[in-house]
Amino acid sequence: MTYTVRSEQRAFGGVQGFYEHSSDVCAGPMKFGVYLPPNARDVPALYFLAGLTCTEETFAIKANAQRFAAKHGIALITPDTSPRSARFDGDDKDWDFGQGAGFYLDATQEPWSGAYRMGSYVTQELPALIERAFPVSSVRGIFGHSMGGHGALSIALKNPTLYRSVSAFAPICAPSQVPWGEKVFSRYLRQRDEWSAYDTVELLATHKHPGTLLVDQGTSDKFLRDQLRPELLEAACKKSGQSLQLRMREGYDHSYYFIQSFVEEHLAHHAAALRA
């Protein structure tokens, strides 16, 4: 597995790099970011899944997380949010579908099934590359924002042995029940009964993570009532017995200012599990 270096910069004693490789899973080149803390050697990896319209650079540039990753000795891995090179009709028509909106699932409906396989990319192909080519161990955590929060929670529930820790900022908690999820699931997935495999609230009926799901949600988030629905996550966790720490943050919105405000606490949450 090979990759090319797009850029590398010194940051907090470590290195923030952006790279590109040829992906079999996504049928073309994929970009990703890696932050390595100082003196990195066999360090645990924390994967961040970004939200709609974002790229592999968004979190690395906007979240100010590298200083805390350096403190805890954790690598930060930031994949892109969708394939970019395989083009299909309508893939750039809407901001919440197609490019920039892979939703961290494996599409089964043509033509999307030919490249939109972000679920397998994030959980299999990219980690295999990272763990082979960088001084990073197989100890993993996962977190994300909005669409990426949905991805992080659902992936961790389905793969509890692969991800020791999980958290989310403003996740889409029940995509099967909100417009964003209904729009993409009905186009990416061939059958309605496939939706539950990518819905955190539905997964909680049959899946459980051994750790605590840490979720921060702003009360002034414009997507709170119609798209995010944290109350459904809270009810599902209570019913299933899944440990959840849901923190409603007064006055915060959906932006990266919100993420910056609490990313230190998320890194500490992951470090406690990844460094245990």
Side-chain angles (χ1 to χ4, degrees):
M1 295 181 181
T2 60
Y3 65 90
T4 58
V5 178
R6 293 167 50 223
S7 66
E8 290 182 330
Q9 287 85 28
R10 197 76 170 163
F12 300 101
V15 175
Q16 175 64 60
F18 295 103
Y19 310 94
E20 185 173 315
H21 76 116
S22 178
S23 168
D24 293 333
V25 169
C26 294
M30 290 291 290
K31 296 176 181 178
F32 63 96
V34 177
Y35 175 73
L36 293 174
N39 305 311
R41 183 177 180 182
D42 202 33
V43 295
L46 181 54
Y47 288 76
F48 182 84
L49 308 184
L52 291 164
T53 75
C54 294
T55 72
E56 75 287 347
E57 294 185 344
T58 309
F59 179 82
I61 292 171
K62 292 185 176 183
N64 194 29
Q66 290 91 341
R67 68 171 66 231
F68 308 117
K71 173 184 175 181
H72 293 293
I74 294 172
L76 293 174
I77 317 299
T78 54
D80 200 354
T81 52
S82 77
R84 303 281 177 176
S85 64
R87 301 302 304 272
F88 307 112
D89 286 344
D91 69 0
D92 59 358
K93 180 181 178 182
D94 300 321
W95 67 275
D96 54 359
F97 179 78
Q99 292 214 359
F103 259 78
Y104 306 103
L105 54 75
D106 285 356
T108 56
Q109 180 67 37
E110 294 182 353
W112 312 101
S113 56
Y116 278 68
R117 303 184 63 228
M118 291 299 295
S120 291
Y121 179 73
V122 165
T123 61
Q124 298 174 33
E125 189 178 40
L126 182 60
L129 169 61
I130 296 297
E131 290 161 19
R132 179 174 178 176
F134 294 86
V136 171
S137 75
S138 60
V139 177
R140 306 177 200 166
I142 192 166
F143 68 148
H145 172 229
S146 193
M147 174 184 73
H150 134 75
L153 293 174
S154 60
I155 285 171
L157 285 174
K158 289 185 290 186
N159 301 277
T161 60
L162 291 183
Y163 300 95
R164 290 191 185 180
S165 57
V166 57
S167 71
F169 296 94
I172 305 170
C173 296
S176 298
Q177 301 184 52
V178 301
W180 274 341
E182 291 170 355
K183 180 175 184 175
V184 300
F185 286 1
S186 64
R187 299 183 188 185
Y188 288 145
L189 302 174
R190 190 167 51 245
Q191 303 292 337
R192 178 64 174 80
D193 59 11
E194 296 175 290
W195 294 19
S196 61
Y198 302 104
D199 187 304
T200 298
V201 165
E202 294 197 26
L203 283 168
L204 281 163
T206 53
H207 294 70
K208 192 174 182 179
H209 194 275
T212 295
L213 311 185
L214 173 62
V215 176
D216 276 315
Q217 173 62 62
T219 61
S220 295
D221 190 321
K222 65 181 180 180
F223 303 116
L224 177 59
R225 290 184 176 84
D226 293 336
Q227 303 282 15
L228 306 178
R229 306 295 303 276
E231 75 280 3
L232 297 179
L233 174 65
E234 188 171 36
C237 285
K238 184 176 182 180
K239 184 176 180 179
S240 70
Q242 171 65 55
S243 177
L244 168 70
Q245 186 177 10
L246 173 62
R247 306 186 295 194
M248 300 301 295
R249 301 295 195 173
E250 188 67 31
Y252 284 89
D253 62 13
H254 201 69
S255 71
Y256 267 79
Y257 296 110
F258 162 57
I259 293 175
Q260 284 183 27
S261 300
F262 305 108
V263 71
E264 180 178 9
E265 296 175 35
H266 281 246
L267 265 290
H269 165 80
H270 288 280
L274 298 177
R275 286 293 186 183

